[in-house]
Amino acid sequence: MCAASEGRWGRRQRALLCCVLVAAWEAACGQLRYSVPEELPKGSFVGDVAKDLALQLAANRDSGARVVSADRTQYFALHANSGHLVTAERLDREQLCEGVQRCELRCEVIVEGEMRIYRIEVEIKDINDNAPSFREAEKELRMSEMTPPGSRFPLVEAHDPDVGVNSLQSYELSGDEHFSLSVQVGTDGEKRPELVLAKALDREEAVFHELVLRAIDGGEPSRTGTARIRVSVLDANDNAPVFSQAVYAVRVPEDVPVGSTLLTLTAIDADEGLNGNVKYLFEKITDKALKIFHLDPETGSIRLLRSLDFEEGDSYEFRVQARDSGELFDTATVSISVTDVNDNAPEISVRSALSEISEDAPSGTVVALLHVQDRDSGANGEVRCSVVESVPFRLERALDNYYSVVTARELDREEVSEYNVTVWASDGGSPSLRSSAVLALRVLDVNDNAPVFAEARYSARLPENNAEGALVLTVRAWDADWGQNARVRYRLAEGRVRGAPLSSYVSVQAETGALYALRSFDYEEVREVGLWVRAEDGGAPALSSNVSVRLLIVDENDNAPQVLYPPAAAAGAGWTGVELAPRSAEPGALVAKVVAVDADAGQNAWLSYELAKATEPGLFRVGLHSGEVRTARSPLARDAPRHSLVVVVKDQGRPALSATATLTVVLAESVAELLSELGSAAAPAEPAGSLTRWLVLAVAAVSCLFLAFLLLLLALRLRRWRRSQLLPPASGALRGVPASHFVGIDGVRAFLHSYSHEVSLTADSRKSQRRWAADSCCNTLPARPPPDKAAPLLGEDAAGARGAPPDALPQAQPNTDWRFSQTQRPGTSGSQNGEEGGAWPNNQFDTEMLQAMILASANEAADGNSTLGGSTGTMGLSARYGPQFTLQHVPDYRQNVYIPGSTATLTNAAGKSNAKGSSGGNKKKSGKKEKEKK
């Protein structure tokens, strides 16, 4: 007895071990199997998934797991804490797996954090919860009294939804000795009850026979179902109906319209009259098929009650009976096969998906799990999935109907921050049906971009002597990242300027990138500051980039010129800046040179020299840009031996700054005479104040003389105008009047001729230039015109010109050549070699003489009411003021002169062609030759 027990215990251990090994093998393969009985309450335990799959759900809550199923109803759920698989709905095996021997439900467990799928199969075990039942609780049979014993009559079959031992197992008949029960077992294992006539019927004995048919299943306890059978005894009917064929088979598509006739049954009865009248009825049919098909009892046609669905049932089989009025019958089998039609589009279910992913996720990262199915079959149910090629994702098959959406390459949030991944599923039908699912995925930023400056390098100009804290410039940098990774802060790189830290010179605002000067810059000390600004983002680790910033200090005119020579006299020192000039020096001889420098740069360092004060103003002159002191004329015997010159040195800044230099020039032939002159303090030269007074008196006298001349000229003009009013308009009475009757200006011409200059006038008087002629001291007066030539009067050519319309007079075009020549441009001290030409007069007396010359020429032109006379190309000045004063020395400024009260225009139209010829014979003579002539 003990041995038998031990043997049974060993067999149980081996069976349990095999089950454990099978479960372990299936778990290793990613598949679990469980079995539960049906009709369990909701929340019943099915299996420990966490233990079987070695999932640590409680330790890692981020990697949660859940159960999904392809069915519309979720029958199972996974407990979040324990990892147990429990029932979520009532499990009715007969409802879930009707007509199926083995009922299995499939579901999948998805681990979110690991993006892994495990398949679970749960077998639903049958329990004896259904009793056998008959479709008809009462059945009436009609039999002829002539029916021979042993005849068999099929009875209604009982139906038990349970399977196995719980299904229908046997039938029992009770109630009458005339009948017995025979149960036939078909090839499909079905039990078909038949009523067997055991004893001949006699209608005269009994018209009706009451029977009870009982169906019994094999459950514990067993369940039964009963049906009442009533047999009516009829008179004789010797021919039964006969079907045209034993089996009727038909194939119909699932999209056949409702109400269509699928097929028509035909049965023939050889009897006549009522015995030949055949009626059709279902002998055996399932409840599901009974709701779909309708059998017309008169015609035998089978019609469709509702639409077919291949996915619900692909074939139906039932038996049909043809019975005549005498209760004779025949049986036929009807088989209806449903063919699939591509009427179901693929279904895409998102089982698990990420809503956001880091942009540095490696290629192949799973972002979603999709379940795809098509309820059609064959080619109509073959599904192909794809994603659009424009996104960096691809599909990979995970299980049979599962696909994983994975990254095809690394993502870049700066290119695309969000993706809407569209997954398409299309079947193999014709035409193909397709469906889609959209996955929204946001890309999380990673600090993978360094700040980028708006410019490759920055430069700014800062005036010197700036205020402390002045804004210099603002640098800008952008970071393509997002959020904290895109927050840019600025700071200065380490550096030194003139030995001091760079941070003591400039600073940068960390948030805005504004660069400020912390001290006042001096161009003479620092002309350029080079620095680096670093932009750093807020990522971890932080990324940065540098940019070069160049600050150019702009010079301001804050330094006056500094005279290097002659040096300034120290307190108590003797003579300084003493220069020797021989009395035999020619005009233009170099006496000394004032040397000055300016610490500024550019225009602020361009220096010009002017003679501000001199003992003898006309004796010396200073080069405008060179600072060279030269003799303006040869020294005379009456000139003082010692001369003091004050030279002003100015820069070109705004405002201009200046410095003065004092030179002492001694007219001596030797060094001994120079020393003697410097040593004789008892016989000083004539004071400079006395010379100045004489100059003032001379200028005043010349001014009074010029004013008197203007008054006289005005009186003569009024008198001429009065005479012209008294004379008739076309009279030529004045043709023979001598020119001497009019007051001439020869005397003034002679005076002005001694001050003839070579003049260059521009629109800016500060840039005008004048050069003294070599024979400016000539006292010869020009000859009058010969007496045989009558001077033109106002009544002839002038009157004719006055009578002409103003438009008829040619107007000269403006002269645009007002530019400086190369030698007239300003430069630094000492930049001009030799003697500059075109300096303005050095004193007020010379300036007034030039003005008198121009006004006198203009007045003469106004009196003649014509262009200025004289030789061709001389503008009327050469005949009166010297042959050297031609248009080659004076720019053509007549088109810019307007003479009040006259229509004349100062032109040179007639004289331009002969300008070279007329000036060719007037060559300059040196002052030395003039002396020899004297």
Side-chain angles (χ1 to χ4, degrees), residues 676-737:
S676 174
E677 179 62 28
L678 293 178
S680 62
E686 183 179 357
S690 177
L691 180 60
T692 303
R693 286 195 295 272
W694 283 108
L695 290 176
V696 171
L697 291 176
V699 171
V702 171
S703 300
C704 292
L705 182 61
F706 182 70
L707 182 60
F709 170 73
L710 291 180
L711 293 176
L712 179 60
L713 186 61
L714 180 61
L716 292 175
R717 186 164 182 80
L718 290 176
R719 180 181 179 185
R720 183 176 300 175
W721 175 78
R722 185 175 181 183
R723 286 186 178 182
S724 65
Q725 296 296 326
L726 296 177
L727 293 177
S731 175
L734 298 179
R735 183 181 301 275
V737 178

Side-chain angles (χ1 to χ4, degrees), residues 389 783-784 862:
E389 297 181 357
R784 290 177 176 234

Side-chain angles (χ1 to χ4, degrees), residues 333-507:
T333 301
V334 177
S335 177
I336 299 177
S337 300
V338 181
T339 60
D340 185 41
V341 174
N342 191 25
D343 57 345
N344 292 282
E347 298 177 359
I348 302 177
S349 302
V350 181
R351 299 304 192 198
S352 180
L354 301 178
S355 60
E356 49 190 33
I357 183 174
S358 177
E359 65 174 327
D360 61 348
S363 178
T365 302
V366 180
V367 298
L369 291 175
L370 305 178
H371 179 265
V372 181
Q373 67 175 358
D374 194 319
R375 295 171 60 84
D376 296 324
S377 62
N380 297 331
E382 294 179 358
V383 181
R384 297 181 298 274
C385 295
S386 62
V387 295
V388 293
E389 297 181 357
S390 59
V391 295
F393 299 95
R394 67 175 186 270
L395 287 176
E396 293 181 354
R397 183 179 290 272
L399 292 177
D400 293 339
N401 296 324
Y402 277 88
Y403 290 88
S404 299
V405 180
V406 301
T407 56
R409 55 179 173 83
E410 292 186 355
L411 306 178
D412 190 353
R413 192 206 66 84
E414 289 69 40
E415 293 183 359
V416 181
S417 60
E418 292 183 356
Y419 288 96
N420 289 324
V421 183
T422 302
V423 181
W424 290 96
S426 58
D427 58 22
S430 179
S432 177
L433 300 180
R434 62 185 310 191
S435 60
S436 63
V438 178
L439 304 175
L441 188 64
R442 185 164 62 93
V443 182
L444 299 181
D445 184 54
V446 174
N447 190 27
D448 56 348
N449 291 277
V452 177
F453 284 94
E455 300 180 15
R457 59 185 58 86
Y458 288 86
S459 63
R461 301 174 67 87
L462 180 66
E464 65 172 334
N465 304 322
N466 58 283
E468 296 182 358
L471 176 65
V472 179
L473 82 161
T474 301
V475 296
R476 293 288 185 185
W478 285 267
D479 197 312
D481 293 322
W482 182 80
Q484 184 67 22
N485 296 331
R487 185 180 179 184
V488 180
R489 297 180 64 86
Y490 305 89
R491 62 186 180 91
L492 289 176
E494 295 295 333
R496 305 186 72 83
V497 177
R498 296 176 60 87
L502 179 63
S503 57
S504 63
Y505 282 85
V506 292
S507 68

